[in-house]
Amino acid sequence: MGGLSVAAKNAARKAGLDDQLVELVNLRISQINGCAYCLEVHTRYGIDAGLDSQRLGVLAAWREAEALYSETERAALDLAETVRRR
């Protein structure tokens, strides 16, 4: 999984996506998957990318916290959840 995560992050950067967006998506998928290790890693990466504690803490309910997440972030989270469920 580590290699896949690195490849995805590199592709996201190449596409012009910032690290905060990438880590929000990684964290949300980790929440859905229930993976404590991944949550720990991506929380740390998110903090390193500049995510604040409020956005990290509310991520599981991002749909109800529109003011905390940009339109781009909400679209990315929605897409990630849709793909994850398929």
Side-chain angles (χ1 to χ4, degrees):
M1 291 302 284
L4 179 59
S5 179
V6 169
K9 188 173 227 174
N10 289 338
R13 283 184 177 152
K14 189 174 180 179
L17 303 177
D18 68 29
D19 288 344
Q20 285 190 20
L21 175 62
V22 171
E23 293 311 326
L24 281 173
V25 169
N26 285 337
L27 276 166
R28 184 63 191 125
I29 297 305
S30 297
Q31 289 173 339
I32 293 167
N33 290 341
C35 178
Y37 173 79
C38 295
L39 283 165
E40 190 276 323
V41 167
H42 292 296
T43 297
R44 189 169 4 106
Y45 290 172
I47 291 168
D48 290 346
L51 288 171
D52 64 46
S53 59
Q54 185 178 23
R55 287 168 30 96
L56 289 169
V58 178
L59 183 58
W62 67 269
R63 291 180 191 275
E64 298 174 21
E66 290 184 22
L68 293 179
Y69 304 97
S70 71
E71 184 177 332
T72 300
E73 290 168 338
R74 290 191 314 272
L77 290 165
D78 186 50
L79 177 62
E81 288 183 4
T82 299
V83 170
R84 167 55 183 82
R85 289 187 183 115
R86 297 202 180 254

